[in-house]
Amino acid sequence: MGYTTVTGGQEAIEQSHQLVDLYRLSNAKSPLQVAEIQSQLQGLVDKVISESGFYAPSYATLAIKQGQGDPAEAVFLLCAYRSTLPRNYYSNTVYTSDMRVIRRISSSFKDIPGGQMLGPTYDYTHRLLRFDLMNEDDNQLKWILDQVRSEVTDNGETPTFRKVSDLLREQGLIAPVQSPEVEREPFDVTRQKVQFPTTRQARLQLLARGETGAMTAFAYSSMRGFGTVHPTIAELRVGYLAVSIPYPYAVDDEDSIYIGEVLVTEVESINSFKMSDQQGEVQFSLGYGLCFGQNEVKAISMSILERSLETPGTGPTHDEEFILLHINSLESNGFVSHLKLPHYTTFQASLDRIRSVKDRFEKTLEDEKGDVDGIEQTEVPIR
Amino acid sequence: MNKPRFQSDKYHFAFLDEASKREIRRATLKAISIPGHQVPFASREMPIGRGWGTGGLQLTLSLIGREDTVKVIDQGNDDSVNAVSIRKLIEETSGIATTTDTTKATLIQTRHRIPEEELREDQILVFQVPQPEPLRRVDAKELGTKRKHSEMDYSGIWLTLYEDIVRWGEVTIGADYPCLVHHRYLFNPSPIPRWDTPRLHQSGTLYLFGAGREKKIYAIPPFTDVTPIQFEDYPFRVESFPGASCKFCGRNDVFLNEIYDSVTGELHFQCSDISFCLKNRPTKEDVL
């Protein structure tokens, strides 16, 4: 059933929904199991929980299935669902030095206290199609698991490491950590409208939820010449962080309840040096990135953009309003796709205007015998 | 059951098809003919990330024959993850010999270093280049930089050096120090430390530069003048390591890396060119 423009909207919508399911399942041998998506499409799940700012891997997986693998559609579903949930607590501050690290690298120093830890990464695989995956079967799955499990020595605890940036901080090459702000309710970008110029808190939240592709494009532009930030990564770490909330009936302020752990990617990048504001010392400036899931390019991009927004310059990445308002997946996708909605009345209004202007110009041209000098060359927007 | 790996029989010798190699070699010849000039080429998508050495890799793969011996270094090190990965790809797609010994290689692909040992006239050094355009610091757009090169208008870059001196009392460019090639084209020598820059001048070796993402090839042919841009009263200076020497071989006349011991956290120095360092060590104890 086509896109019926005149009447019959109700029926058209219903048939369209049925077609979605038909297209989704018509070539399927069996329906995709949510558990399989969660375990085998982790890159996609991580992207969706990160871009929606909603750490709910199993719901994200359902959204991915429902949205047929389109990350924007999944983020949309997940964020809409979040609107139905009450906000009960803000967690206690989490310290990433306590992270249970599964991967940790530095590109600033060859060796670092605790050592580099490659962990799971595609970085050094050659991107050649593995045709053997076309028909991966249960035997292959078992063989790989047995093989890898026997090679990976299991030493129980996943390690924790101190921060690489502390090495430079000890030498006075990076500004000391400012004493933590007094614990107070954070500015929450999902509950309050962001005003510009905004706060670092709001900025980091918006960046942490930004769309990977948009952020990568902007960060790349900064490094290629349309900005000034091109950092070196002091440390990139991926791992699990324990999250706790204040104990609701606490007598003592220290009482808290452990509510689980989240997988995050954190990046600290070092940018060119400058005079520090506080002590007048010459120091490297840091860029910071942190997001849910293993999303390394996003976390690196975040650190570049975060630094960019703190740095004056003329490139697009130095403009807070420009960057922060355009990296949101839900908003950009929603507005661009709204063009598919009918625009009959507004377009009718534009038709009226172009005909009127056209008539007037044609008349002018006749009067002035083809002299087109001075006719406005700029485009008139239609809305 | 086979461990999944690259099936070399499904791919052409040295990965690229012969027509692609020929096009890359043609751009290379043009680059050699116009020292320091950036020659555009239709960079292919490679099985490693754009920005991870695809320009260097395309040069290497288009140049090697069955008799060649290739060395790949990353930051001076044959054993660094990216060097290992690229060397493995070259081995698997061409089957030719590789080495870690600078003197035994006919072609060396490098990221960020020139080997400490003197290179010879029968060797080629291929650089991986992230940012080929030295004027990108002053002009974000290709049309602008092209015009400036054609008019030899390098005033913008001189001005940035001057501004650096006014602000910091020094030129602050660390690596990838812009140089003039044979008194005509300004070029980026890829992010080698300033330490390596003087070795580009009047060298007997052919230096080729490949920027895969930016789709440019350029060259310093043998016996070409390469001059770092500098003011008379603020001359170009290479890095110095006062009082430091390599923990393993003891040399202090080479480029050194600062290393934080992974166990104790203690700071020490180590040769950046590991294969050279290994040759100099009193014992052949392997401490890569």
Side-chain angles (χ1 to χ4, degrees), chain A residues 355-366:
Chain A
R355 283 183 184 131
S356 160
V357 170
K358 208 171 157 62
D359 286 349
R360 189 183 302 271
F361 271 5
E362 270 157 20
K363 201 163 173 298
T364 316
L365 284 179
E366 265 169 39

Side-chain angles (χ1 to χ4, degrees), chain B residues 129-250:
Chain B
V129 182
Q131 311 257 27
E133 182 51 76
L135 299 177
R136 195 60 81 222
R137 299 168 207 260
V138 293
D139 193 334
K141 299 201 174 167
E142 189 70 6
L143 185 63
T145 56
K146 254 179 143 166
R147 182 172 288 149
K148 289 187 176 78
H149 278 295
S150 63
E151 294 172 356
M152 214 179 153
D153 172 9
Y154 297 139
S155 51
I157 209 85
W158 284 105
L159 198 60
T160 57
L161 291 197
Y162 173 75
E163 283 174 348
D164 252 11
I165 291 164
V166 169
R167 196 168 300 146
W168 303 104
E170 300 250 14
V171 173
T172 62
I173 300 172
D176 212 0
Y177 196 97
C179 303
L180 209 57
V181 182
H182 227 72
H183 320 286
R184 178 59 185 87
Y185 284 104
L186 191 74
F187 95 120
N188 269 354
S190 132
I192 51 171
R194 302 189 305 288
W195 181 273
D196 288 337
T197 309
R199 318 213 15 219
L200 297 167
H201 177 67
Q202 284 294 329
S203 160
T205 311
L206 171 62
Y207 294 122
L208 297 176
F209 300 79
R213 188 177 44 78
E214 298 283 344
K215 306 177 181 65
K216 301 273 190 64
I217 287 170
Y218 51 104
I220 308 290
F223 308 108
T224 301
D225 286 345
V226 176
T227 339
I229 55 168
Q230 57 191 329
F231 293 109
E232 273 172 28
D233 47 348
Y234 284 88
F236 170 80
R237 276 201 199 94
V238 301
E239 294 83 356
S240 62
F241 310 92
S245 60
C246 174
K247 185 187 176 183
F248 302 109
C249 73

Side-chain angles (χ1 to χ4, degrees), chain A residues 3 17 53 55 123 139 151 169 178 183 187 207 241 285 302 352-353 357 383:
Chain A
Y3 177 69
H17 290 173
Y55 197 88
D123 286 352
N139 289 335
E151 279 175 22
R169 202 166 271 126
Q178 286 165 17
E183 293 279 339
F187 181 90
L207 288 167
L241 284 174
S285 47
M302 176 171 170
D352 171 69
R353 290 295 86 195
V357 170
R383 283 206 178 80

